[in-house]
Structures are given as C-alpha cells and as structure tokens.
C-alpha cells in the first residue's frame, strides 16, 4: 500500500517552516533593525585602509557572508535538535526517521529566494542592489545545503558524526590557510616567507592530524568515512561553522559584526579553487590509504 504523501514530506515541511522563519528573522534583524555601523562595520578604519563604505569590496562581501553565518546557526541548532530527538525516541524504544537533507533544502529554496531579496532590497538604508541580494540568496542556500547534512547523522549515528568532525579538522588548514600565499601581494603586513610558512605549515599540520586520526581509527576499529563525506564535513567546519564562530566569539560583545569574506576565502578565484582541490586530494588520499591498510590487514 502506498504511503500518503505527508508521511514522507510532513516532517520536512515542518522543518522548512521553522528554518525559513529563523533565517529570514536573522536577515530582518541584521538588515532592518540592527545598527548597520555595527553589523557591517560602516565607517570602519584600519591601517592604510580608508573608512569602509556601504558598497566597497570588503563591506559588500559582508552582506553575502551573513548568509553563511545564518547557515552556521541552522547547522548548530538543526544538528542538536536531530540528536536530541533521536535520543528521546531511542529511550522510548521508538524509531525516529529524520528528514532527508535535500527535501528540507529544496522546500527552503522558495521562501529563502523570495524572502531575502524582499528584506535586503526594501528595508533600512542603504538597500541592497539586486546583484548583492542575489549573492545573499546563493550564499545562504549553498551554506544551508551543507548545514543540513549532519542532521541525519546526528539522529542515527552520533558517534560516527563526532569521529567525522574530528577527521575533517585536518582539512581546515588547506581550506583556510593555503590562501595566505596571496596576502603579501594584497599589500597586507605579511612577508612572503611568513605567508608560505603559514600555507605549507598548515598543510603539513593537517596531514599529520589526518595521519593521527587514521591511527586512532585503526586502534579503535572505526569504519572509514568516504572521501565525499570527509570533504563536505571540512567545508562545513571551515565555511559554515567558522563564520558563525567568528560572529559570536571573535568579535567584541558590543560589536557583533559579520566577517568580511577575506577572513575565510581567497581574493583570487584560482587560489580558492586550488585550496578546494588540495582539500579534496587530502580527503581522497587519506580514505584510500585507510582502505588499503584495512585490505592489507585482512
């Protein structure tokens, strides 16, 4: 007998409603109620840099970075909620079937794609042009796709999620520090030697971390995740969770501003692509190495 549609889509619809209201609420607060001089650091000055203007390069990036901060908040809350509900149902000897991430994401695209432009292009001053409003939508939806992924793991296999997150820390240096090689060319107070030391040292540290996690997994007889899961976890930590952490913990309590994109992403698209490829290579390499070791031990 075919199940009614609401059996498979009822929970995703309910989650979509809460997630969409939460994200749009954050955008309305940031763009309609909060002090723009605090949230987006209008007028901010730094050594050798003129005061920030509403639509200069750095400030413009803060607008779409707000989408990643919102996605980071969803990641924390959604993962925690799925874990909690999974634990409650397990203690009651019931089976909890969490939503599939793509169902929630697909349903969320409509209210988010309509709501963010409606807010950012109409409230407060200055309002965003269509291009920046669209960038906010794209960043939010991309971040949300990654943010929803841990939910099912948290509900069904929380310990494996913890191991995966610990593993993915080893990819963060490639994703966040490799871009240091471009900093001297941007006129920042970093020497070429320091920049290369950060980039190469970060890759070495990440590789050592992954090697250590490999030995720990072997010792504890833990199954190896696939490269895709490892890479996505690294992207989630680096580009979704860390912008939220920066917003909440790395800013003064009275000035909870949104970070500029340059704190997480390379200015040069080629270098950013290289960072992604190196992280992907590390993910593929470590998973293949672990499986080779498992095969040799049999």
């Amino acid at each position: 007998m075919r199940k009614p549609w609401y059996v498979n889509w009822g929970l995703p619809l309910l989650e979509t409603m809460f997630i969409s209201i939460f994200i749009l609420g954050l955008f309305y607060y940031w763009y309609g109620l909060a002090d723009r001089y605090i949230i987006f650091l209008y007028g901010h000055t730094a050594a050798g840099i003129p005061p920030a203007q509403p639509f200069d390069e750095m400030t413009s990036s803060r607008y779409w970075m707000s989408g990643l901060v919102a996605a980071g908040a969803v990641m924390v809350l959604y993962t925690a909620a799925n874990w909690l509900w999974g634990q409650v149902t397990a203690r009651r000897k019931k089976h909890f079937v969490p939503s599939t991430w793509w169902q929630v994401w697909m349903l969320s695209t409509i209210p988010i794609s309509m709501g963010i432009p409606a807010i950012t292009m109409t409230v407060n001053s200055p309002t965003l042009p269509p291009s920046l409003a669209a960038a906010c939508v794209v960043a939010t939806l991309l971040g949300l796709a990654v943010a929803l992924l841990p939910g099912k793991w948290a509900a069904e296999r929380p310990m494996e999620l913890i191991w995966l997150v610990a593993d993915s820390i080893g990819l963060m240096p490639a994703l966040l520090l490799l871009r240091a090689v471009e900093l001297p060319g941007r006129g920042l107070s970093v020497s070429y030697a320091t920049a290369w030391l950060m980039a190469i040292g970060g890759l070495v540290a990440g590789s050592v971390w992954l090697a250590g996690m490999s030995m720990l997994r072997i010792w504890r007889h833990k199954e190896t995740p696939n490269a895709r899961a490892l890479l996505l976890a690294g992207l989630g930590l680096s580009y979704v969770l860390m912008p939220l952490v920066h917003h909440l913990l790395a800013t003064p309590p009275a000035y909870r501003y949104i970070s500029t994109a340059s704190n997480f992403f390379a200015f040069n698209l080629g270098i950013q692509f290289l960072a992604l490829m190196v992280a992907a290579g590390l993910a593929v390499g470590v998973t293949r190495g672990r499986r080779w070791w498992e095969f040799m031990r049999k």
Side-chain angles (χ1 to χ4, degrees):
M1 182 177 179
R2 188 175 181 180
K3 294 181 180 180
W5 68 271
Y6 54 80
V7 173
N8 294 324
W9 288 92
L11 182 59
L13 276 169
L14 181 63
E15 292 176 354
T16 295
M17 181 182 69
F18 284 112
I19 289 171
S20 299
I21 291 173
F22 177 73
I23 290 177
L24 295 179
L26 285 177
F27 268 84
Y28 186 75
Y29 170 74
W30 289 329
Y31 288 85
L33 301 177
D35 187 343
R36 295 281 185 95
Y37 285 83
I38 293 178
I39 296 296
F40 300 116
L41 289 187
Y42 291 175
H44 175 67
T45 59
I49 300 176
Q53 300 300 314
F55 296 112
D56 62 24
E57 180 182 11
M58 294 187 69
T59 305
S60 294
S61 74
R62 296 185 196 276
Y63 297 136
W64 61 262
M65 281 295 295
S66 64
L68 296 182
V69 175
V74 171
M75 175 185 280
V76 173
L77 296 175
Y78 187 70
T79 302
N82 273 272
W83 173 81
L84 180 60
W85 196 242
Q87 295 298 306
V88 169
T89 53
R91 290 179 182 276
R92 293 180 176 178
K93 308 299 181 181
K94 296 181 180 179
H95 181 59
F96 170 52
V97 181
S99 300
T100 305
W101 75 269
W102 63 264
Q103 291 179 296
V104 181
W105 183 85
M106 185 176 68
L107 292 170
S108 300
T109 59
I110 298 175
I112 288 174
S113 298
M114 296 176 62
I116 289 179
I119 293 170
T120 58
M121 296 176 64
T122 60
V123 301
N124 213 328
S125 180
T127 56
L128 298 191
S131 59
L132 284 178
C136 290
V137 171
V138 171
T140 303
L141 290 178
L142 288 176
L144 183 61
V146 177
L148 295 172
L149 292 174
K152 192 174 181 66
W153 285 60
E156 298 179 339
R157 37 184 175 163
M159 289 307 301
E160 289 185 39
L161 178 60
I162 293 174
W163 278 91
L164 178 63
V165 170
D167 249 341
S168 64
I169 292 174
L171 300 184
M172 293 179 70
L175 294 169
L176 296 176
L177 295 181
L178 189 60
R179 62 188 178 85
V181 298
E182 70 174 351
L183 297 182
R186 299 288 301 189
L188 300 176
S189 57
V190 178
S191 66
Y192 282 99
T194 302
W196 280 99
L197 180 62
M198 290 173 61
I200 297 176
L203 289 179
V204 172
S207 300
V208 171
W209 178 273
L210 289 170
M213 286 300 303
S214 298
M215 290 187 288
L216 194 58
R217 279 185 177 273
I218 292 170
W219 176 49
R220 301 299 297 174
H221 303 286
K222 295 295 182 180
E223 184 179 353
T224 297
N226 60 47
R228 176 177 172 274
L230 180 56
L231 179 60
L232 287 172
L235 293 174
L237 285 184
S238 300
Y239 299 142
V240 180
L241 183 61
M242 290 308 296
L244 174 67
V245 171
H246 181 280
H247 177 62
L248 296 178
L249 302 180
T251 56
Y255 292 90
R256 298 293 188 200
Y257 60 85
I258 303 292
S259 169
T260 181
S262 60
N263 284 330
F264 301 94
F265 299 94
F267 292 100
N268 185 287
L269 290 178
I271 294 178
Q272 182 61 47
F273 180 75
L274 177 62
L276 294 174
M277 290 300 99
V278 170
L282 285 173
V284 171
V286 73
T287 52
R288 286 186 176 179
R290 289 171 181 176
R291 288 188 175 130
W292 174 84
W293 178 258
E294 290 172 359
F295 174 79
M296 295 298 293
R297 292 184 66 189
K298 292 180 180 179

